[in-house]
């Protein structure tokens, strides 16, 4: 089934949620798990990781490849949830 | 140079009250008008401040959402509510000056500005709902439809005429929506630069009818996705728009009936509508926070 095109904000949100979810379950977040959860190609996901890293929302350990979410990333997830709730409640 | 306020000079000083001044207490005849009663002044001031505060809160929340997401269509809501807040200032000034015999031209000027701003505010709010699905619905459908220029100039594409006409209407409609309130109010000046009370009352009827249509459109567009999603908990905002619609309906009753209860009722309904809107926003935002707290536990 063809997936609907996702907005960049939504992609960031899904990636950050996947990271949080992976950390909750496995203590660490691995790129392959995140790729699987977000249904993204590896190249695209790496591009998003770079952008999220530039925005200080995630931290990537270059030696192990493991990823962690920063407080700014957590704030983004919270704000995105609020935005979606607000938009939905206004029927927009 | 002519004083701009003379544009709104009223030809008949002894005419009865305007729409919002139905609660006025006129004493005697031939233009002897009482000063604004302190209780009424205080009531008007409190209502105005409350309305402005509520509108500002709504505008702030939606502006923050726009800043965060960058979705252009969200900008209509904060703009609309900010304009509405400004219109309430002029409404208060109109009520204050409606008791002043010497400043009757100012009274009409403030009423004229209030009507223009209120309609424009609702038009901007409707714009958000009109443009929300614009990307997916108008420019191209699955990339098969031609662009706007081809629609207009290529006769080979006329076979899709119904879809094309719909596209053209969809692209022009937002501009029409925004310009109607301005056109109606400014055209009144072109017809007769010296507005009297009867004319301005007629204009108030037209703008109120426009507001009713626009709010009806907003209500339908707002309630549809929520009903589809069977999300009854989120019906507060459609209910708030329904209350604002009821406010305009009360003003129509007031126009024909000069019923002071309809006017006071419209003010109370408006405050209830705006209050419900703020509550709905707080509810939407706080539900996220509550969920987070539950997860943390």
């Amino acid at each position: 089934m063809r997936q609907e095109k996702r907005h960049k904000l939504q992609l960031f949100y899904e990636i950050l949620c996947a990271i949080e979810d992976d950390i909750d379950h496995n203590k660490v977040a691995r790129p392959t798990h995140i790729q699987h959860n977000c249904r993204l190609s590896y190249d695209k996901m790496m591009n998003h990781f770079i952008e999220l890293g530039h925005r200080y929302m995630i931290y990537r350990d270059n030696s192990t490849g493991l990823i962690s979410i920063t407080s700014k990333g957590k704030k983004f997830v919270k704000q995105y949830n609020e935005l979606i709730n607000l938009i939905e409640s206004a029927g927009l | 140079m002519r004083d701009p306020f003379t544009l709104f000079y009223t030809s008949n000083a002894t005419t009865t009250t305007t729409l919002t001044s139905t609660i006025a207490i006129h004493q005697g005849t031939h233009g002897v008008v009482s000063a604004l009663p302190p209780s009424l002044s205080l009531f008007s001031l409190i209502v105005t401040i409350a309305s402005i505060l509520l509108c500002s809160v709504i505008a702030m929340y939606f502006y923050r959402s726009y800043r965060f997401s960058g979705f252009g269509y969200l900008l209509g809501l904060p703009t609309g509510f900010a304009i509405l807040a400004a219109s309430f200032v002029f409404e208060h000034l109109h009520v204050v000056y409606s008791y002043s015999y010497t400043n009757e031209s100012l009274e009409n000027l403030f009423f004229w500005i209030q009507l223009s701003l209120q309609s424009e505010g609702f038009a901007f709010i409707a714009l958000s709902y009109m443009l929300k699905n614009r990307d997916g619905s108008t420019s191209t459908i699955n990339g098969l439809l031609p662009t706007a220029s081809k629609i207009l100039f290529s006769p080979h594409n006329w076979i899709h005429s119904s879809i094309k006409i719909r596209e053209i209407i969809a692209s022009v409609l937002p501009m029409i929506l925004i310009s109607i309130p301005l056109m109606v109010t400014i055209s009144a000046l072109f017809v007769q630069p010296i507005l009297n009370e009867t004319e301005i009352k007629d204009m108030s009827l037209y703008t109120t009818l426009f507001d009713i249509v626009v709010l009806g459109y907003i209500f339908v567009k707002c309630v549809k996705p929520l009903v589809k999603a069977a999300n009854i908990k989120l019906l507060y905002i459609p209910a708030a728009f329904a209350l604002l619609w009821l406010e305009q309906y009360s003003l129509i009753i007031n126009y024909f009936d000069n019923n002071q209860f309809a006017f006071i009722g419209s003010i109370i309904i408006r405050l209830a509508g705006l209050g419900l809107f703020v509550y709905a926003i707080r509810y939407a935002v706080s539900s996220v926070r509550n969920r987070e707290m539950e997860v943390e536990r």
Side-chain angles (χ1 to χ4, degrees):
Chain A
M1 206 175 91
R2 200 178 161 210
Q3 201 190 353
E4 204 174 301
K5 201 172 180 238
R6 286 174 285 185
H7 193 270
K8 201 172 186 177
L9 274 183
Q10 193 187 347
L11 274 170
F12 283 178
Y13 173 75
E14 286 180 11
I15 290 169
L16 292 169
C17 282
I19 294 169
E20 274 190 327
D21 201 41
D22 208 20
I23 290 171
D24 282 348
H25 286 101
N26 308 317
K27 308 277 186 218
V28 288
R30 292 181 197 284
T32 45
H33 292 179
I34 296 157
Q35 185 193 353
H36 179 73
N37 280 345
C38 300
R39 289 161 292 163
L40 281 169
S41 70
Y42 189 78
D43 291 345
K44 277 187 181 169
M45 189 190 64
M46 292 314 282
N47 286 338
H48 290 311
F49 278 169
I50 291 166
E51 198 168 344
L52 284 167
H54 284 317
R55 290 168 189 262
Y56 304 106
M57 289 190 200
I58 60 169
Y59 173 74
R60 245 179 107 211
D61 191 334
N62 287 329
S63 56
T64 58
L66 297 175
I67 297 155
S68 56
I69 187 167
T70 63
S71 58
K72 201 180 171 192
K74 283 178 183 169
K75 195 180 166 192
F76 173 87
V77 171
K78 192 180 137 200
Q79 281 184 328
Y80 185 87
N81 274 326
E82 285 181 4
L83 169 81
I84 293 299
N85 261 19
L86 190 61
I87 287 177
E88 274 182 6
S89 65
L92 282 164
Chain B
M1 203 177 129
R2 187 193 277 192
D3 180 0
F5 295 145
T6 56
L7 289 171
F8 303 97
Y9 172 74
T10 48
S11 57
N12 185 2
T14 57
T15 46
T16 51
T17 54
T18 57
L19 192 72
T20 57
S21 60
T22 49
I23 44 178
I25 305 159
H26 284 253
Q27 291 178 342
T29 52
H30 304 290
V32 182
V33 182
S34 69
L36 179 64
S39 57
L40 179 61
S41 173
L42 188 68
F43 174 73
S44 174
L45 190 69
I46 290 168
V47 164
T48 305
I49 290 170
S51 302
I52 291 169
L53 277 176
L54 291 169
C55 278
S56 306
V57 170
I58 298 166
M60 188 198 71
Y61 268 103
F62 279 101
Y63 182 68
R64 267 173 50 188
S65 301
Y66 162 73
R67 282 283 302 273
F68 177 73
S69 65
F71 300 149
Y73 71 91
L74 285 179
L75 202 54
L77 274 154
T79 311
F81 278 103
I83 293 172
L84 267 186
S87 83
F88 297 139
V89 175
F90 289 100
E91 187 188 51
H92 174 68
L93 289 173
H94 165 241
V95 170
V96 168
Y97 278 92
S98 65
Y99 285 84
S100 166
Y101 172 67
T102 49
N103 285 311
E104 230 166 326
S105 53
L106 272 179
E107 173 202 340
N108 282 354
L109 173 70
F110 291 138
F111 192 36
W112 182 83
I113 295 172
Q114 185 229 325
L115 291 173
S116 313
L117 289 178
Q118 195 165 26
S119 299
E120 201 61 43
F122 286 132
F124 269 101
I125 294 167
L127 199 65
S128 276
Y129 286 91
M130 204 174 261
L131 298 176
K132 68 174 177 180
N133 293 324
R134 181 47 61 90
D135 290 341
S137 63
T138 56
S139 57
T140 55
I141 300 167
N142 297 329
L144 295 173
L145 283 178
T147 57
S149 58
K150 283 182 183 173
I151 291 166
L152 290 169
F153 302 115
S154 173
H156 302 293
N157 293 317
W158 288 354
I159 40 170
H160 300 293
S161 57
S162 66
I163 303 167
K164 282 175 222 162
I165 290 166
R166 216 182 307 154
E167 266 198 43
I168 292 166
I169 291 170
S171 56
V172 174
L173 212 58
M175 286 183 271
I176 295 173
L177 182 78
I178 292 299
S179 55
I180 282 176
L182 289 177
M183 272 161 46
V184 169
T185 49
I186 292 170
S187 67
L189 291 178
F190 279 109
V191 173
Q192 193 177 342
I194 302 166
L195 283 177
N196 59 35
E197 280 197 13
T198 315
E199 281 171 327
I200 211 155
K201 269 189 86 175
D202 285 347
M203 201 185 79
S204 81
L205 177 68
Y206 304 143
T207 52
T208 311
L209 285 173
F210 173 81
D211 294 346
I212 283 180
V213 172
V214 169
L215 282 165
Y217 170 82
I218 294 170
F219 177 77
V220 170
K221 292 289 263 185
C222 181
V223 85
K224 254 186 183 176
L226 297 176
V227 171
K228 266 186 194 170
N231 207 340
I232 299 164
K233 277 185 182 174
L234 297 179
L235 284 176
Y236 293 125
I237 289 183
F241 280 124
L243 285 173
L244 291 177
W245 185 92
L246 206 60
E247 178 213 353
Q248 299 299 318
Y249 185 73
S250 301
L251 288 175
I252 290 277
I253 293 171
N254 184 34
Y255 174 85
F256 288 113
D257 212 16
N258 252 6
N259 187 338
Q260 65 180 31
F261 293 109
F263 178 68
I264 295 170
S266 75
I267 291 173
I268 294 166
I269 292 166
R270 181 226 291 167
L271 277 177
L274 292 174
L276 188 63
F277 210 115
V278 171
Y279 174 76
I281 291 172
R282 294 290 308 160
Y283 178 81
V285 172
S286 64
S287 63
V288 175
R289 287 176 190 159
N290 291 344
R291 217 182 307 147
E292 274 174 4
M293 281 167 75
E294 276 172 21
V295 170
E296 278 171 16
R297 268 184 232 153

